[in-house]
Structures are given as structure tokens and as C-alpha cells.
Amino acid sequence: MLNIAAFWKNRYWKDRGLAFKLIWINLILISVPLLLSYLLSSIGYSKAVQRNVGAYQADAVHEFSANLDIYMNELALLSVLPYQTPDLIDYLERRGNRVTTLYEERLLLEEFMRRIRVNGRVDTIGITLQAEKVRSYVEPPDSPGRFTEEYDADLNVYASSGFSGQAVFVGPHSIQSDNGSIYNVFSAVRVIRSLESGQRLAILKIDVPSSDLRERIASLSGGGERSVAVLDDRGEPIYESGEFPESGGRLAAYRGSGTVTLGSGSSSVLMTYVTSPITGWTVLQAVPMSVLLKDAETVNRQMLLVGLTCLVASVLVSILYSLRITRPLSRLRQSMKKVEKGEFGISIPVDSEDEIGHLSRTFNLMVSRLGALTYRLYETEIREKNAEIASLQSQINPHFLYNTLGSISMYAELEGNREVVSMTNHLSALLRYSMGGGRDEVTIREEIEHIRGYLAIQSIRYEERLRYTIEAEPGLMEHPVIRLTLQPIVENAIIHGLEKGSGEVKIRIVIGREDSRVVIAVEDNGPGMNDEALRQQNAKMREGLLPEGPGGHGLVNVHRRLVLNYGSAFGVRLKRADSGGILAQILLPEAQTAALKEGRENIG
């Protein structure tokens, strides 16, 4: 995987143009947030819809169960009628001494049965009153009432202590009429007890057609794609419509109240169940998730469509702006290739005021200056060649001058003129040092030796009027310095001290350290300069301006050479000396390899 990514980056991505990269980057920056926002919003919206629909469905199932309880409670109230009929209670308890005939008993029981049928909003189909002390009375469906000596053992199941005092509802089952017809009914059973002793007197069972219950459940559950089931307290189905992903046996495990998701994938359903505290029956309602999330899927599709539309629009805008940005750059690149081939007469049209427009104007200016610079460089090369030819032609001149000075020195020595011999020897050394031998830097020792030769010639010229001393800290004599740095400074001191002044001139040269720099100080006791003249001369040296007239050129040249080689923190500084003359300080960077010693050395 890493090799593929590296190959894509180094080969595929690296060789592509700027427009391609901008379009891809914009596409990624736009599509990734849109995709993430779509996924997060769609998932969140689907969960919110599922949560809200689940809460709504739970409320609907509770309301459905409550309405079913109302219907069942009406049936339970009918089973309480024996307690509202004192004559029936007396009959069941055999209370009193009055002897009743069979006719009177029949009238009493028929009246009681009639009251059950006409009371309430429940259509009864059969009634059974199984007495303990008297004969039982039964009114089967589509049959007249009659006394019976038969004992229904199934009713004793509902006469246990667990069902005492409450109506018990029996799920759909079959009963048979006297004419042999079979009826599907569900029943409410209640144990009738003595109000005084609590002794069981009878068991009352009221039968209602199962179709009435199913119609009531069907009307309450409504239509649509939902599935509804009602289970009795034993988990047996009382009513079922639609299909559940689990069998009835497993559905019987859901008791109480709650909402669960059954199944998986497209066949999953959201099921809500509620167990009635009155009947003990459990109402279950299941709705397919596809139905619940149909609106959410529609909204998600709309969001996806809007996102794709925005993505396409963003890509188109990105392509247009990328081409708008890269087209001038491509034109600039092509122009640069022409410049590389030596075409300096081209110019790029500037169409905007942004960074690209500024870059185009700068390129045009650069090409214009480059053309002029190329022409100047061509002229300079021609001149250098001419100068080189002239230099080769004049190489014989220094040798002729050295030989001439040697001949003068020999002639003066033969004549016994020591001053001329000394002067010619020093002058020859000065000429050799000035020629340089191809070196730009020398040691301070070599520079001092050159100055001593120069001062020796000047001493012969000015005799007793010129005095000089040279002092240096040990270890600094081997420090590098630019060749011919000291001579213009010393020459300037001699010109201002002797030629423009009168009397004896003393020149003192001190070599030392100051603030991690090597300082060569040249001090004279000449007439000096006022503060304004010193300020102007230092300003001219900093700006590199040559002064008017014949003097001051050497100082400016020396300062500029030092600044170009070592930086603006170094160079020549002019100050007023304590003796009234000029103190010229030459500031040099201290070499790291110079030997550091203490003390001061007198050189001459």
C-alpha cells in the first residue's frame, strides 16, 4: 500500500500540471466534507425518525390497549350484576324459610339473564350460572334457558383462590348450542361469593362472540402495513393480522411494555408491546422499518441530489478558476523558456492587478533589464579581453622598471650615495608589493613592512620633520588584512600633517583589539579637521562618494574595500585625536585562528 502511494506521489502526481493538482485538491476538499455531512445527516435523520416514530407507535399501542381495556371492562362490569340483585343472592344462599316453586326460580333466573343481556354495550351470546347450593342455570347460544345438573369442571379452574374477586377473561374458544351449532366465543368468568361469609356461591360465565372482539380490535388497530397481534395471559393468540418475523411462541415472551427491533435488513420491523393490567392480555404492533424510514429515505435522496448538484457546480467553478489561475502561469513559463534561449524582446500582456499580474509586470521588467544587462556584459567581456591583451603587452614594463632601479642603486652605491641606494631599494620593494603577486590578502606584518618602506622614503624626503612609531599586540602580526590598506591612511596623514602644516609631524600606528575586533589606529599630530568636516568625510565613506578635488579618494576606496569584504560593521572611522590631529581607525574582524598573547610589542 505504501509503495502504491509513493509511486502515485512521485510519478503520477509529481509530473502533473498545476491546474490538474488544483482541480484534484478542490475536488477532495469539496467532496469529502459533502460526503461526511451527507452520511452524518442521513444517519442522524434516520435515527431521529425511528426514535420519534417509535415513541408515536408506543403511544398508539398504549391507546389501543386502553380502548380494548374499556371494552373488556364493560364485560367485567356485567359479571358484577349478581351483587346488584339481592333476590339472586338470597336464592344462591338458600336464605329464608319461604318455599319457592320451580316457576318462581325460573322467573328469577330469566330476569337476571335478561338484565345481563340488556345492560352495557356488549352483545352476549351465552350465560352460565353454576351454583354450589342450588341447581345451575344455563342459557346456551340460540337456545332457551334451562336448569341443569351438569357440573362444568373447567369452570372450577377459574374458581381457584388466584382468581377470587376478579373477573377472568378467557380467550376465544368454542361452545355448542342445544341444536348442535358451534360458536366461537370469548368469556368473562367471575366467582360469586357471599358478602357475609365469603363462601363461594356460584361461578358466572358470560360468553361474547369472538367476531365482536376481533372487529373491535380490527377497528382499533386501523389499516396500513402494520401487523397487530393480541395474546392472552398464557401467550395464546387471540387476534393476529399481518406477519411477524418471529413465531407466536416467541412473541409470548414479550410481557410488560417496551419497543424492540425484530429481524434484520430490509425485513426488520419495529415492534411495540403493552400488557394490560386488567385483562392480562398483551397487545403487539409491528411496523416494517422500510415503511417508517420511507420519508427519511426520500429526504436522504433529496439531500444526496442537492449534494451532487453542489459538487458538480463546485467542480465546474474549480476548473474554471484553476484554468484562470494557471493559464497566465503557463504563458509565463513559455515566455521564460524563450528567455532561456536568448529571446529578450518578448513581453507578457498584463490583464489583472492581482499577484499574477504583478508577477507578469515584474517578469517584463526583469526581461528588459536582463536584455540591457546582457548587452553591458557583452561590452564588458570585450573590454576585458582588450585589457587582457593590453596587460600582456605591458608585462615587460615592471621588469624594465625593476632593472632600471637596480642599475640606479648600483651606480649610487659606487658613488657612495647611501640615501639614493636606500631610496631606490625601498621604492623597488614598494613596487613589488603594489603589484601584489596575485594575492588580495596579506598579513599585518607584511603590510607593516610595506609601510615602513614607504615611511623610510618619506623620511629621506622630509628629513627630521617626520617621526613615526609602530606598536602591536603579540599574536596580531599574522592577522590577515587586505593588501594596501594602511598606505592610503598613512599617506593621508603625511599630506595633512606635513604638506598642509608646519613643524614636526609624528605618526603613531597602534595595532590592538577592541570589542572582538582588530583595530589598526593611525594617529597624527597635524592640524586636524573640525567636527563638521569629520562628519562629512565619514558620511562620504559610508555612502561611497568620492570627494571633489584631488584628496580623500584613498580613504573612500579603502573603506569600501573593507565593507565589501567584511561587512558594514567594519571599515575606516575618522576621529579627532587627543594631540589635535586625526585618528583613523581601521576595524577588522578578528580571525579565529590568531594566537592570543598578552603585552605590547614595539616594532619601531
Side-chain angles (χ1 to χ4, degrees):
M1 188 67 182
L2 294 177
N3 294 331
I4 296 176
F7 174 80
W8 190 87
K9 178 180 178 182
N10 295 330
R11 296 297 181 87
Y12 185 79
W13 179 262
K14 186 177 180 181
D15 297 336
R16 293 294 177 173
L18 182 59
F20 177 83
K21 295 178 181 178
L22 288 176
I23 293 172
W24 264 103
I25 290 174
N26 291 332
L27 179 62
I28 293 173
L29 293 178
I30 294 171
S31 60
V32 171
L34 280 177
L35 180 61
L36 291 177
S37 61
Y38 167 73
L39 291 177
L40 294 177
S41 60
S42 62
I43 294 174
Y45 181 72
S46 299
K47 289 184 177 179
V49 170
Q50 181 177 347
R51 184 168 55 252
N52 295 334
V53 172
Y56 170 77
Q57 180 172 319
D59 294 338
V61 172
H62 279 85
E63 182 178 359
F64 172 79
S65 178
N67 291 330
L68 184 61
D69 288 345
I70 292 174
Y71 176 76
M72 302 302 291
N73 193 44
E74 291 178 355
L75 180 59
L77 290 176
L78 291 179
S79 64
V80 186
L81 281 178
Y83 295 104
Q84 301 173 4
T85 309
D87 293 342
L88 180 62
I89 297 297
D90 292 341
Y91 168 73
L92 295 176
E93 290 185 348
R94 287 187 174 183
R95 186 178 298 176
N97 297 322
R98 187 174 67 87
V99 179
T100 58
T101 63
L102 181 63
Y103 175 75
E104 292 174 338
E105 293 178 358
R106 186 178 184 88
L107 287 178
L108 175 63
L109 294 173
E110 286 180 351
E111 177 64 19
F112 173 72
M113 298 297 178
R114 187 186 65 81
R115 288 183 61 192
I116 291 179
R117 286 192 298 271
V118 300
N119 279 299
R121 293 175 293 177
V122 179
D123 296 332
T124 60
I125 194 174
I127 303 172
T128 300
L129 181 65
Q130 182 171 290
E132 296 289 335
K133 298 181 180 180
V134 296
R135 288 182 298 177
S136 300
Y137 189 83
V138 178
E139 189 176 277
D142 295 336
S143 301
R146 56 181 171 80
F147 289 101
T148 180
E149 298 293 338
E150 296 179 358
Y151 190 80
D152 190 351
D154 293 336
L155 292 180
N156 278 337
V157 177
Y158 307 105
S160 60
S161 60
F163 302 106
S164 299
Q166 295 182 355
V168 177
F169 298 95
V170 182
H173 57 282
S174 299
I175 60 175
Q176 186 176 3
S177 65
D178 290 344
N179 58 12
S181 299
I182 304 299
Y183 293 87
N184 292 323
V185 299
F186 72 96
S187 307
V189 180
R190 182 185 294 272
V191 176
I192 307 300
R193 295 183 179 276
S194 172
L195 297 177
E196 296 178 358
S197 63
Q199 183 180 7
R200 187 175 71 183
L201 301 178
I203 299 176
L204 175 64
K205 186 180 77 162
I206 303 175
D207 299 320
V208 179
S210 298
S211 58
D212 290 353
L213 178 62
R214 290 191 176 91
E215 290 176 1
R216 178 60 61 93
I217 294 175
S219 63
L220 292 176
S221 62
E225 300 183 26
R226 67 189 67 185
S227 301
V228 178
V230 180
L231 307 180
D232 62 12
D233 53 353
R234 294 176 295 176
E236 296 296 331
I238 297 175
Y239 174 84
E240 282 185 313
S241 66
E243 296 181 358
F244 287 84
E246 296 189 6
S247 61
R250 295 191 61 184
L251 291 178
Y254 295 102
R255 303 284 294 177
S257 177
T259 301
V260 294
T261 301
L262 302 179
S264 60
S266 58
S267 61
S268 61
V269 298
L270 185 68
M271 188 184 74
T272 302
Y273 57 93
V274 175
T275 300
S276 171
I278 296 176
T279 63
W281 295 356
T282 301
V283 178
L284 303 98
Q285 179 174 281
V287 181
M289 296 295 294
S290 58
V291 176
L292 297 178
L293 301 180
K294 182 182 298 183
D295 294 337
E297 291 177 355
T298 302
V299 173
N300 290 336
R301 284 194 296 270
Q302 293 175 352
M303 292 174 58
L304 180 60
L305 180 61
V306 172
L308 290 176
T309 303
C310 294
L311 178 61
V312 172
S314 301
V315 171
L316 292 177
V317 173
S318 174
I319 292 174
L320 292 177
Y321 273 92
S322 298
L323 294 178
R324 183 179 179 183
I325 293 173
T326 57
R327 188 177 293 113
L329 294 178
S330 299
R331 186 169 51 195
L332 179 61
R333 182 183 62 181
Q334 295 174 358
S335 301
M336 292 180 68
K337 289 183 178 180
K338 294 180 180 180
V339 172
E340 290 178 359
K341 297 178 180 179
E343 299 180 16
F344 299 104
I346 62 175
S347 178
I348 300 177
V350 180
D351 301 328
S352 62
E353 298 296 328
D354 54 8
E355 289 81 357
I356 297 179
H358 178 72
L359 181 61
S360 299
R361 286 192 295 271
T362 304
F363 175 79
N364 292 335
L365 180 61
M366 180 195 70
V367 171
S368 176
R369 292 182 177 179
L370 187 59
L373 182 61
T374 303
Y375 178 75
R376 292 178 184 177
L377 182 61
Y378 178 72
E379 284 187 339
T380 302
E381 289 179 353
I382 294 177
R383 292 176 181 177
E384 286 182 354
K385 290 181 179 180
N386 293 334
E388 184 177 354
I389 294 173
S391 175
L392 292 174
Q393 292 176 350
S394 62
Q395 281 184 356
I396 192 173
N397 294 335
H399 298 286
F400 174 77
L401 184 59
Y402 296 152
N403 294 333
T404 302
L405 289 175
S407 299
I408 295 173
S409 177
M410 290 178 61
Y411 181 77
E413 188 173 359
L414 291 175
E415 293 295 328
N417 193 338
R418 301 300 304 172
E419 289 81 0
V420 175
V421 173
S422 177
M423 184 176 294
T424 54
N425 290 336
H426 286 303
L427 181 58
S428 178
L430 290 180
L431 288 175
R432 286 190 176 89
Y433 187 80
S434 299
M435 297 302 294
R439 293 189 301 159
D440 291 330
E441 276 191 346
V442 295
T443 63
I444 294 179
R445 183 181 302 278
E446 292 175 307
E447 189 74 5
I448 291 298
E449 291 297 329
H450 171 69
I451 290 301
R452 279 203 286 183
Y454 173 76
L455 289 175
I457 295 175
Q458 296 296 336
S459 297
I460 295 174
R461 177 183 177 186
Y462 294 105
E463 296 180 348
E464 300 297 329
R465 294 181 60 193
L466 178 61
R467 296 288 185 270
Y468 67 89
T469 59
I470 301 175
E471 302 174 2
E473 291 186 9
L476 293 181
M477 295 302 292
E478 304 303 323
H479 194 279
V481 67
I482 297 177
R483 187 169 53 85
L484 295 177
T485 297
L486 278 176
Q487 181 179 340
I489 308 299
V490 175
E491 183 179 356
N492 188 72
I494 292 175
I495 291 174
H496 286 83
L498 290 174
E499 297 182 0
K500 294 184 179 181
S502 60
E504 185 181 88
V505 174
K506 294 181 180 180
I507 296 177
R508 182 169 178 251
I509 301 175
V510 180
I511 305 168
R513 293 186 182 87
E514 181 180 333
D515 298 333
S516 300
R517 293 182 296 188
V518 175
V519 180
I520 303 177
V522 180
E523 180 181 355
D524 65 73
N525 62 344
M529 303 170 65
N530 57 36
D531 293 339
E532 179 62 23
L534 282 174
R535 187 190 64 79
Q536 292 180 359
Q537 183 62 37
N538 285 323
K540 290 177 181 179
M541 289 190 298
R542 286 194 302 269
E543 297 174 3
L545 298 177
L546 294 176
E548 297 180 358
H553 296 75
L555 292 176
V556 174
N557 289 333
V558 171
H559 176 76
R560 296 305 298 170
R561 289 169 63 200
L562 294 174
V563 169
L564 291 175
N565 278 273
Y566 304 130
S568 59
F570 306 95
V572 180
R573 307 288 188 272
L574 298 181
K575 297 181 180 179
R576 183 187 294 274
D578 296 336
S579 60
I582 300 297
L583 174 62
Q585 292 182 324
I586 301 173
L587 307 179
L588 303 173
E590 185 175 3
Q592 299 296 326
T593 58
L596 301 178
K597 297 183 181 179
E598 295 182 357
R600 184 173 298 274
E601 176 184 353
N602 290 322
I603 297 178

